[in-house]
Amino acid sequence: QVQLVESGGGLVQAGGSLRLSCAASGRTFRSFAMGWFRQVPGKEREFVGAITWSIGNTYYTDSVKGRFTISRDNAKNTVYLQMNNLKPEDTAVYYCAADLYGSGAPRPDDYDYWGQGTQVTVSS
């Protein structure tokens, strides 16, 4: 069983930055991947990016490339989503997710555990 606890959301002006954290507890495996997703009411959950835990390969959706960065701290069992140059269209509930045996797939169904979500609101 893996539990994911998110933090770092909030309100920020356009052009500003936020860093989201997702701390994992419970049993994990070296081969797992951590993904970030976001969702707006009435829309499908959208893949933001992912990182493989062992090697650190990262993947991003086109809309955040160059602005968002995913990193990990193995000692803290924590993954981060650094969001720079935020835009109003980035406003959403952000979720971290763990794919215990995967490698950063973009499909939500591939992930086994989910965080509780954290609200990110970007004002113009």
Side-chain angles (χ1 to χ4, degrees), residues 38-40 87-94 119-123:
R38 63 189 182 186
Q39 189 168 25
V40 176
K87 304 176 180 180
E89 51 263 43
D90 295 318
T91 296
V93 176
Y94 283 71
Q119 177 70 47
V120 172
T121 302
V122 184
S123 62

Side-chain angles (χ1 to χ4, degrees), residues 46-117:
E46 178 189 19
F47 175 75
V48 176
I51 187 169
T52 61
W53 206 255
S54 59
I55 301 176
N57 298 118
T58 54
Y59 310 90
Y60 303 95
T61 192
D62 287 344
S63 63
V64 307
K65 287 180 179 178
R67 300 189 298 121
F68 291 10
T69 303
I70 298 172
S71 61
R72 73 203 195 283
D73 187 331
N74 291 350
K76 297 181 179 180
N77 293 118
T78 299
V79 64
Y80 304 96
L81 180 65
Q82 178 67 46
M83 303 183 292
N84 297 326
N85 192 24
L86 283 161
K87 304 176 180 180
E89 51 263 43
D90 295 318
T91 296
V93 176
Y94 283 71
Y95 299 89
C96 65
D99 181 3
L100 296 186
Y101 303 100
S103 58
R107 292 177 55 86
D109 288 348
D110 291 329
Y111 289 78
D112 303 291
Y113 301 96
W114 293 84
Q116 80 280 10

Side-chain angles (χ1 to χ4, degrees), residues 9-32:
L11 175 65
V12 65
Q13 289 185 327
S17 299
L18 284 173
R19 189 180 74 162
L20 306 183
S21 299
C22 177
S25 62
R27 297 185 64 181
T28 59
F29 299 92
R30 191 169 297 176
S31 62
F32 81 111

